[in-house]
């Protein structure tokens, strides 16, 4: 089988990560979570400075960070920074609140893109993000754009939180989702765009299994 790159882009809550992980496990690909790298850099800057300010700029220590990701056979993606496992730490709300300035920065994006491209030289990958098919791998073997209406994405997030036993304000979640859509689409570099040659899948009326089967079918065809 030849080495392939599958790019999965789409807005927050479209199911990119859950679906990509399952496709990876079922078809023996490595899953790469590009958002976790932006989260890791945000974590590092918060550790270093205590906050992320508007005058943030890329510094040498960021360029020297040893960020690694490991995908386990049972579908878990583990991220570490200079040997510290940050998998859980980077899911903190504080990271989400500070990530915008970091992921808007052109030098950060170039650094992350270099890392992602280096990893792609080694194994067959399925990678999710916002600009994977448009900027990072414009020549990806398969590009998917996963979408769902804001109402459906809100519903999914609320369900996830409830399953974790957390109290949620549905209106607030919806507001956050719409805000993130705008941030993602307006980013000066690496904005969320639907590549012309991406397969568009609106998952609003599909369950997760249906989405997984659809993508597996597409991957099997190009392998
Ligand atoms: O996928 P996620 O929610 O973990 O992503 C975290 C943040 O990183 C999100 O605000 C968008 C940004 N991101 C990005 O700018 N480019 C990517 N390829 C992936 C994520």
């Amino acid at each position: 089988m030849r080495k392939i790159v599958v790019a999965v882009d789409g807005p927050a809550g479209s199911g990119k990560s859950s679906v990509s992980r399952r496709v990876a496990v079922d078809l023996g690909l490595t899953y790469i979570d590009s958002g976790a790298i932006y989260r890791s850099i945000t974590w590092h800057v918060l550790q270093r400075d205590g906050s992320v300010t508007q005058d943030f700029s890329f510094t040498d220590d960021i360029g020297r960070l040893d960020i690694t990701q490991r995908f386990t056979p049972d579908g878990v993606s583990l991220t570490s920074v200079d040997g510290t496992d940050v998998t859980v730490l980077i899911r903190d709300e504080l990271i989400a609140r500070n990530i915008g300035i970091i992921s808007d920065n052109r030098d950060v994006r170039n650094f992350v893109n270099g890392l992602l491209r280096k990893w792609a030289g080694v194994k067959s990958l399925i990678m999710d993000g916002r600009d994977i098919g448009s900027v990072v791998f414009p020549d990806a073997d398969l590009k998917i754009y996963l979408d769902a209406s804001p109402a459906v994405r809100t519903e999914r997030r609320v369900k996830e939180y409830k399953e974790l036993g957390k109290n949620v304000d549905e209106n607030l979640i919806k507001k956050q989702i719409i805000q993130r859509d705008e941030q993602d689409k307006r980013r000066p570099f690496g904005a969320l765009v639907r590549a012309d040659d991406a397969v568009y899948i609106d998952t609003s009326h599909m369950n997760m299994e249906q989405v997984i089967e659809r993508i597996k079918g597409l991957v099997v065809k190009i392998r």
Side-chain angles (χ1 to χ4, degrees):
M1 261 181 287
R2 68 192 184 99
K3 203 171 68 206
I4 56 164
V5 173
V6 180
V8 181
D9 292 299
S14 57
K16 300 181 300 286
S17 125
S18 316
V19 164
S20 301
R21 277 186 279 123
R22 269 283 307 281
V23 170
V25 170
D26 291 358
L27 298 182
L29 305 172
T30 294
Y31 163 69
I32 302 285
D33 176 355
S34 68
I37 306 177
Y38 290 100
R39 288 173 181 270
S40 297
I41 296 170
T42 308
W43 175 81
H44 166 78
V45 175
L46 284 172
Q47 291 278 108
R48 190 189 64 185
D49 303 338
S51 63
V52 181
T53 55
Q54 288 296 339
D55 59 2
F56 164 82
S57 64
F58 189 87
T59 42
D60 289 349
D61 57 312
I62 298 175
R64 282 194 302 268
L65 288 176
D66 178 24
I67 303 178
T68 59
Q69 222 169 71
R70 191 164 69 83
F71 185 61
T72 69
D74 53 345
V76 180
S77 176
L78 302 167
T79 305
S80 74
V81 179
D82 289 339
T84 300
D85 185 340
V86 295
T87 310
V88 175
L89 300 172
I90 58 174
R91 299 291 146 193
D92 198 277
E93 181 58 28
L94 188 64
I95 302 284
R97 263 190 277 133
N98 286 281
I99 203 165
I101 292 173
I102 304 284
S103 59
D104 276 359
N105 183 280
R106 188 207 288 254
D107 297 322
V108 168
R109 298 204 76 87
N110 284 337
F111 169 67
V112 173
N113 293 348
L115 206 60
L116 297 173
R117 291 185 187 122
K118 194 173 83 187
W119 291 348
V122 186
K123 288 174 179 168
S124 276
L125 299 181
I126 181 164
M127 187 180 293
D128 77 342
R130 305 294 188 286
D131 59 342
I132 307 303
S134 56
V135 175
V136 188
F137 294 110
D139 297 326
D141 301 280
L142 174 65
K143 300 180 189 177
I144 313 273
Y145 189 94
L146 274 194
D147 208 354
S149 69
V152 168
R153 289 186 282 131
T154 303
E155 229 174 82
R156 290 179 187 160
R157 272 286 138 88
V158 168
K159 193 167 160 247
E160 271 170 27
Y161 283 126
K162 284 193 176 153
E163 279 168 4
L164 291 172
K166 291 188 183 168
N167 258 337
V168 282
D169 174 347
E170 194 163 332
N171 282 328
L172 182 69
I173 305 262
K174 186 159 192 186
K175 224 171 101 188
Q176 284 172 345
I177 283 193
I178 291 169
Q179 240 170 25
R180 276 184 76 178
D181 285 358
E182 280 189 11
Q183 255 175 20
D184 283 344
K185 286 179 180 161
R186 283 214 201 124
R187 182 170 296 122
F189 321 103
L192 170 65
V193 284
R194 184 175 146 190
D196 289 338
D197 50 351
V199 179
Y200 181 78
I201 306 178
D202 181 350
T203 70
S204 300
H205 305 289
M206 294 168 85
N207 64 34
M208 197 167 119
E209 290 306 317
Q210 290 171 323
V211 183
I212 291 165
E213 285 313 311
R214 174 86 203 282
I215 297 179
K216 277 165 66 177
L218 293 167
V219 174
V220 166
K221 253 196 233 162
I222 58 144
R223 249 181 145 184

